[in-house]
Amino acid sequence: MKPHLIVNPASANGRTGRHFDAIARAVRSAVGDFGCSFTERRGHGVQLAREVSRAGANLVVAVGGDGTASEVVDGLMLERAARGVRDDESAFGFISRGTGGDLQRSIGSPVDALGAALVLASPAERIIDLGRVEFVGHEGKPEARHFVNVAGFGIAGRVVQEVERMGKALGGKATFMLASAKALMGWHDQPVRWRIDGGPWNEDRITSFSVCNGRFFGGGMMVAPSARMDDGLFDVTLWKGLGFSDFVLKKGMLYDGSHLRLRNTTTFRGRVVEAEPLGREPVLLDVDGEQPGMLPARFTILGGVLRARAPGGDA
């Protein structure tokens, strides 16, 4: 079977759709003929991934941002579950065309389309972990989805909202920096309780709580410098008392990973993370750069469940 591309034409502020001919030429030069589907709405990537996996595609490639990749992986996992199998023939590939580019950084794939296409052409594959999060959707009903890179709650959920309000014309890092600054203005840490691997509950007021499979989020912030996508564990980063002035004065530390030295930062590792709100205000989620709902939530690592065409080494 030839590879199948699931393309979000609205990604990269619409440039993916406008310049798809160039992307297609790069892919064709590297892998030959391929199939292609275009998403038409949020969530459509899940449906398309299930359909092409069911049809027998052995390489399903997300072309878009982190949200598109997350949808495609969610579809692959849902189709696998529907057939009652742990493994199938569908590997995952990624051509990054999003605003933040965080999965591209975490997984180590090339930025340019030709470089990413050459990775797709390589027979080398990595077996990586995924996260699964069960949460409360915006309509108040239980929902669940898989994530590839980073999920969490607190200010990160507000930042995603700001990014959606602002639009993404400024590009990745600038968009997320401005959205983070806006979200932090007037922010008050939110009360939650949380625990890891069934241990004792902890009550905290948190700025941001990140459950990380990959290392980067928020347009290049190295939130979890030691995270690996193939170790069967989440790296958890908890920020408390981080305000607007900290972001202005210490933002370099957030991007290079040295924030681990700050008193505001605490880290943990584990396989299952549970969290509940303690106040009346909703505590919003960020799941691979999307904002699908709120606490309470349960995050579970799924070790070694995804075959990915991606460079080797730490991710």
Side-chain angles (χ1 to χ4, degrees):
M1 290 287 293
K2 58 191 177 185
H4 194 99
L5 274 56
I6 296 178
V7 183
N8 178 0
S11 62
N13 206 36
R15 291 190 299 275
T16 299
R18 293 194 298 272
H19 303 297
F20 182 69
D21 286 350
I23 298 170
R25 285 195 299 271
V27 174
R28 191 170 289 111
S29 70
V31 303
D33 198 16
F34 60 88
C36 190
S37 303
F38 291 85
T39 62
E40 299 173 357
R41 59 190 178 277
R42 182 163 292 181
H44 195 197
V46 178
Q47 175 188 335
L48 294 174
R50 294 195 68 172
E51 290 173 357
V52 300
S53 177
R54 192 180 309 136
N58 61 0
L59 177 58
V60 183
V61 182
V63 183
D66 292 4
T68 305
S70 192
E71 287 187 9
V72 168
V73 167
D74 196 40
L76 295 177
M77 295 299 293
L78 289 173
E79 185 58 30
R80 186 186 299 180
R83 295 205 299 264
V85 297
R86 174 177 169 82
D87 301 301
D88 62 19
E89 294 301 315
S90 298
F92 167 73
F94 185 44
I95 297 177
S96 178
R97 297 287 301 169
T99 301
D102 292 305
L103 178 58
Q104 173 266 319
R105 294 182 182 93
S106 286
I107 209 167
S109 60
V111 176
D112 64 294
L114 180 57
L118 291 171
V119 171
L120 301 179
S122 169
E125 293 181 345
R126 298 186 63 204
I127 307 300
I128 65 173
D129 309 329
L130 294 177
R132 184 175 188 270
V133 56
E134 302 159 79
F135 59 96
V136 176
H138 290 298
E139 296 182 357
K141 298 177 181 178
E143 296 185 22
R145 62 182 289 180
H146 298 86
F147 62 96
V148 190
N149 188 36
V150 176
F153 50 89
I155 192 70
R158 296 285 183 89
V159 170
V160 173
Q161 284 189 330
E162 288 293 341
V163 169
E164 293 299 324
R165 289 192 190 108
M166 290 165 46
K168 303 175 181 180
L170 294 176
K173 187 173 181 179
T175 295
F176 278 94
M177 285 182 65
L178 183 56
S180 298
K182 285 186 173 182
L184 281 166
M185 290 181 183
W187 169 263
H188 298 285
D189 282 6
Q190 295 184 294
V192 302
R193 72 173 193 153
W194 58 272
R195 66 178 180 175
I196 296 179
D197 292 339
W201 287 98
N202 302 272
E203 294 189 3
D204 274 312
R205 297 187 71 89
I206 61 101
T207 308
S208 186
F209 193 110
S210 300
V211 182
C212 307
N213 188 34
R215 293 185 293 165
F216 295 91
F217 84 152
M221 294 184 192
M222 194 185 295
V223 63
S226 299
R228 292 182 57 94
M229 300 182 99
D230 58 2
D231 62 356
L233 292 169
F234 287 128
D235 282 57
V236 178
T237 298
L238 170 59
W239 287 338
K240 295 191 291 187
L242 185 69
F244 180 76
S245 61
D246 294 292
F247 180 75
V248 172
L249 298 174
K250 302 171 184 176
K251 65 178 180 292
M253 299 180 76
L254 305 179
Y255 283 90
D256 67 14
S258 60
H259 63 87
L260 297 186
R261 303 198 304 264
L262 297 174
R263 61 175 179 80
N264 309 68
T265 303
T266 311
T267 61
F268 311 89
R269 305 191 86 202
R271 293 179 172 85
V272 178
V273 179
E274 298 166 272
E276 300 175 352
L278 291 179
R280 295 183 178 181
E281 184 180 25
V283 181
L284 301 179
L285 294 173
D286 167 18
V287 181
D288 278 342
E290 303 288 327
Q291 207 288 291
M294 64 199 80
L295 296 188
R298 177 185 174 93
F299 307 80
T300 305
I301 195 77
L302 306 177
V305 295
L306 185 69
R307 293 168 46 224
R309 293 281 173 90
D314 290 355

